[in-house]
Amino acid sequence: MENIKLAEENKMGEQEMRQVYAEAITKLIEEGEPVMAMDADLMRAIGLLSYQKDYPDNIIDCGIAEANMMGVAAGLSAEGFVPFPHSFAVFSSRRSMDQVFMSGAYAKLNIKVVGSDPGICAGLNGGTHQAFEDVAVMRCIPNITIVEPTDGAMVRDLTIQAAKTYGMFYIRMNRGKAETIYEEGSSFEIGKAVKLREGQDATVIAAGREVIEAVRAAELLKEEGIHIRVLDMFTLKPLDKEAVIAAAKETGAIVTAENHNVIGGLGSAVAEILAENCPVPVERVGVQDEFGEVGPADWLKERFHLTADDIVRKVRTVKSRKGMEG
Amino acid sequence: MSAEKEKELKSFAADIRIGCMKQLGALGIGHVGGVMSICDLMACLYGGVMKIDPANPKWEQRDRFIMSKGHAGPAMYAALALKGYFDPEELKTLNQPGTRLPSHTDRNRTPGVDMTTGSLGQGFSSGLGIALGCKRKKLDSYVYILLGDGECQEGQVWECAMFAPAKKLFNVIAFLDYNQLQIDGTVEEVSGVQEFGEKFRAFGWQVVDVTDGNEVSQIMAAIDEAKADKEHPSMIILHTEKGKGCFFAEGVFNHNIPVTKEQAGQAIAELEAYKAAL
């Protein structure tokens, strides 16, 4: 935690996450890292198109052919490069799963798969583009690291760390602006959750855009005398098992919150650990096994019950179950 | 090519077939058809075309070979063993627990294997990635990629067909093992890739047609022709016979079939006799 500084105020970040990502990528290239930013005709969407003329050897548009892009990434990795193939999360995961799995992970290569606009962040692109299953499919790949950066400061740090850490990564990232949780310059330990709030009544374990909802839920609950711990579980794999077990032992009840199907994602991962190590009541905020649908993200947040109020309700429920079971 | 070199390559091809029979005979089953059809190509690549150093499999300046039809691994293993990448005795361990010679080629297990393949179509893309990497590193290495004809039913192959010319990957020489058979029937009946050459030409490739893809002199001439063209990636179509050079596999269903010790022994004896008569 010593390298992490929490923002005093959770105001909207000044930069879009994609701008931060593009800056981090170009900084790595400038520093001589053998990074290859790859895309399937969404270079404009991820903010790298304007940099392509300056770094033509390191920024490659593969066209609308995600399967080939992942395979080319594998070949580049075999030659010592560090590819960052990007597409929307639906295409980076679902559409090119077998290529990521076999040409990348099974071959023990070093690819940083980037999936942007997961879940409700895809908003007006609608149900076809809302990945509520990408973490679930990626989580089954042995040894992959899955991270979901919470804000701009974390995007910058994790992009750089991913480039310098050998192995398969899936980086699940919103492209737009996010509320600031951390001060710029913070550095995170992959695989270690960040404790954002302390409390004894329950723990909310959140990831991605749900972290800010969890922080707001903590404030709302405080008004009614309920004090919760909030963990930012930005590493979805390997999950911080110690932090999960400690939260169960010390607060006795867990709520998970994710912009993903409750099947296969953070909620599942946490429940698996608790079932084997320290069973306590669990409630899961997330998409309840449904497809996405078109609409603005703020509306979708209500539609799929991903708001701070939804977290508050689940905390009340889980708290009421404490000590009732067993 | 001199008569002496041609004889040497034919003999090497027979030795590769013998190596395949030793592997499949020891195992009792295998992809006889698609392994035997490419032994002549393996002989050409490993017997003279490719710039390699068996003592240093990861030599940076080497030419790369990707077996995109990964199930033909045994043909590659036989060639690698005969070139000294590992002891030919190891061929008997094909598919055995803990082996370095798995059913489909694996870059982490076998010295001399550049890429992991098995899910069809993928080796083509990873081969193009390797070609792009070599180009970025300004290496003058060639990247050779072998595709099956049934494999070309995979959509990913056609993504590759677009990508290589667009990225000017002129260091790529791909081969099609056009034996016209796949598991469920003829390639044409199942889902045709007819006029394959015309299709690749339309995508911007140089296409070289080899009427007898089991004839080393024709394969060598085609590779020379491919190399002479510096402005296109190349696709060499090898009209081959599935099961070629294996008496019990020629002309019958042979994709993945049992191989008895007696069959393997007889096939090896026939190949030895063929070599002696060269």
Side-chain angles (χ1 to χ4, degrees), chain A residues 37-94:
Chain A
M38 307 171 72
D39 219 297
D41 199 36
L42 288 172
M43 210 160 260
R44 192 185 298 274
I46 198 65
L48 276 166
L49 188 65
S50 58
Y51 293 105
Q52 198 183 17
K53 61 180 187 312
D54 296 327
Y55 308 100
D57 285 349
N58 297 79
I59 301 182
I60 307 156
D61 204 325
C62 299
I64 309 169
E66 295 81 6
N68 181 54
M69 174 171 71
M70 296 303 176
V72 170
L76 285 167
S77 168
E79 291 297 326
F81 294 93
V82 183
F84 277 71
H86 160 262
S87 186
F88 289 148
V90 282
F91 308 127
S92 288
S93 60
R94 287 202 313 250

Side-chain angles (χ1 to χ4, degrees), chain B residues 1-12 215-218 278:
Chain B
M1 186 170 59
S2 69
E4 196 184 345
K5 183 70 187 174
E6 184 174 349
K7 187 177 159 188
E8 179 195 314
L9 290 178
K10 283 182 175 209
S11 180
F12 187 32
E215 184 51 66
V216 293
S217 60
Q218 290 190 27
L278 279 172

Side-chain angles (χ1 to χ4, degrees), chain A residues 121-142:
Chain A
C121 301
L124 298 182
N125 269 330
T128 55
H129 283 54
Q130 284 163 14
F132 292 136
E133 65 295 317
D134 53 326
V135 175
V137 295
M138 287 291 185
R139 210 159 67 83
C140 298
I141 300 177

